[in-house]
Amino acid sequence: MSTLTTPDDVHASRASSTDHSLTATHVDYDAASQSNLRGGLSDIEKSAFSVFGSSSASLQTDPIYVEFIDNDPRNPVTYSHFKKWCITLVVCGFTGVTATATSSFAMGNESMMRDLHCTRFQATIAMCVYPLGFALVPLFSTAFSEEVGRRPIYLVTAFASVLCYALAAMSNTINMVIVARALGGAFASTGSALVGGTIADIWEPAERGFPMSIFTLVNMTCTGFGPMVSGWVEYDSRLQWRWIQWLHAIFSGVYFVVAIFTMKETRQGIILRRLAQKMRKETGDSRYRARVEETQPALRELVWISCTRPIQVLLTEPIATSISLWVFFMWGVLFCLISSVSPLFKTLYGFNTGQSGMVYTTIVVGAFIGLGANVYQDKLYRRNVARRGPEARLYITCLVAALFPVAMFMFAWTASRQFHWIWPIIALTIFMFGAFIAYLVVFLYLADCYGPYASSALAGQSLCRNMGSFAFPLFANHMFTDLTYKWSNTLFAGIALVIVPIPFALFFYGSSLRQRSPLCSKVTSPEQDAASHTDVDASNVDTPRSSG
């Protein structure tokens, strides 16, 4: 087999150079030709490359590699903190819009079932196909960012999402709603999957923890805000399910307009390639090249690798497999709760639709508690990483693993007319706190373990997690009907108890598993890798919305 430069290999090359600004390289260039070729370039273009000593003989064949110099203003890593935060908040806004669309849909089920004469199972399918898009589509669609950059994908998918929400709002059959939701999930997942990569583009590894926390916070809080607002929309007989979709279309449209004026391209290879193309055009010299033009595989190969490697990692790497199964179950339960909490509180406590939507405040509160806990987790990590390596990420995760069955048992047995409604609310808050920590820590832990191969590991766990979001609600309604809410959630709690050892096993035995792993062993030193927050391209990472 011929040697192939894979996306992960390209990311590895970038990871080794992100701690310093890129410098330009030119092979063999004489002073006279240098003066002539540079004469037609602007000052800022001249700063993009430097030239080194020369021979006229090689002038006709040797490439001139265009790269960033130290503190180059076009290098995304050197952007001002203000500009970095603007970009970070804009891309997190995309994820926030998609997160609300995932969780709020179920709040309109009753009016949609009445208007479209569909069954509850059909309405559930319409909800579930959205996270299904997050599971499958990014496996091949995110490879296009290697070819065209991140900004065009953000804009195209944001505009397409507006059309999908509008299509759902105007649908007259449940089949059309399902199609609109499926297309909406496909487009939204492609843009949202790039957010982690964009953060990696502009923030140094040591700075990346807090922006990633904000990213996770936006996703989780918007997952809660969606049903909180849509519950009152459904409660108003003049609005109901169609206006839930129209509101998504309006907010997505506003985001699209804002992104046009504020979103910048952040992928270094794309920026350098465009600069090299401009230099070739202005000078007439075809030797100006960006290194990515010579090392990047063809798009077809990128798509193939993007589709197959995450599945290979998921099936062959014990660390990725075990933690993905744990998150798969947690996210499946999360989406069962999203679809069932509103009818449960209406049935047991006589809440109206608007009041039952306010129960999802637990997601918001749990996310903020999780953000505070993550600050403490970061302190534990910095204190213990030299001794424990990447497993220093798992202290709070072990606590979450123990709290998961506790929260589910508490919710199952206090969601009853015999108990005040505040007790199941507290149980849900504990669960949502755990979901926040699980998503964030799984991302950071896999990034530390797999280094430059982390994008494949993260894409694999994203596939697994979002398949849980898709599959669990499909059988949840029948299970709740046959077993009742009490015993169904007790069953979930029992399974959660069985899988408690997974984070503990990784905490104590993760180091030996990494030493036996073909991919982890390629990371020079696990402890050094964790300490330096290995730079990875997270372009295949999505969010904790209804996807994750």
Side-chain angles (χ1 to χ4, degrees), residues 114-321:
R114 180 198 66 214
D115 292 347
L116 302 184
H117 308 289
C118 65
T119 65
R120 184 171 297 277
F121 183 70
Q122 289 173 315
T124 303
I125 291 176
M127 184 191 81
C128 292
V129 292
Y130 197 84
L132 179 63
F134 280 88
L136 300 178
V137 176
L139 288 178
F140 58 88
S141 62
T142 51
F144 287 91
S145 69
E146 304 268 358
E147 189 71 22
V148 301
R150 303 200 194 279
R151 184 176 184 271
I153 292 180
Y154 279 120
L155 297 180
V156 170
T157 55
F159 180 73
S161 295
V162 175
L163 300 181
C164 292
Y165 296 138
L167 177 62
M170 295 185 294
S171 298
N172 292 318
T173 66
I174 187 60
N175 291 333
M176 186 58 69
V177 173
I178 293 173
V179 170
R181 289 279 292 176
L183 292 175
F187 287 115
S189 66
T190 302
S192 295
L194 301 182
V195 176
T198 300
I199 292 175
D201 288 340
I202 62 180
W203 295 98
E204 296 285 2
E207 303 173 318
R208 205 169 295 151
F210 187 61
M212 278 304 304
S213 297
I214 297 300
F215 165 54
T216 308
L217 181 68
V218 169
N219 275 277
M220 291 298 292
T221 54
C222 288
T223 300
F225 281 133
M228 288 168 60
V229 174
S230 60
W232 292 108
V233 176
E234 171 72 2
Y235 183 66
D236 190 332
S237 59
R238 298 167 299 177
L239 303 175
Q240 299 196 318
W241 74 275
R242 292 190 188 275
W243 266 100
I244 293 176
Q245 302 306 311
W246 280 122
L247 286 175
H248 289 315
I250 292 170
F251 282 113
S252 296
V254 171
Y255 173 83
F256 173 69
V257 174
V258 171
I260 289 176
F261 296 102
T262 59
M263 186 61 201
K264 306 296 182 183
E265 181 56 58
T266 61
R267 199 174 190 90
Q268 290 183 350
I270 297 297
I271 297 172
L272 291 171
R273 186 168 65 187
R274 291 172 181 172
L275 182 58
Q277 291 170 345
K278 186 175 183 180
M279 288 182 170
R280 289 197 295 267
K281 181 178 179 180
E282 293 190 359
T283 65
D285 192 332
S286 62
R287 292 173 303 142
Y288 285 105
R289 308 285 294 174
R291 292 186 186 275
V292 69
E293 293 179 285
E294 299 182 353
T295 60
Q296 181 171 300
L299 179 60
R300 182 174 60 181
E301 293 173 303
L302 287 173
V303 172
W304 172 253
I305 296 166
S306 182
C307 288
T308 57
R309 180 173 285 181
I311 298 175
Q312 178 184 1
V313 171
L314 187 63
L315 296 178
T316 61
E317 289 289 320
I319 290 176
T321 302

Side-chain angles (χ1 to χ4, degrees), residues 94-114:
F94 188 101
T95 307
V97 171
T98 61
T100 60
T102 304
S103 57
S104 63
F105 183 84
M107 297 303 297
N109 277 358
E110 297 299 329
S111 60
M112 184 176 67
M113 290 163 57
R114 180 198 66 214

Side-chain angles (χ1 to χ4, degrees), residues 8 31 239 382 388 404 548:
D8 285 328
L239 303 175
R382 289 190 294 268
R388 300 211 64 98
F404 184 14

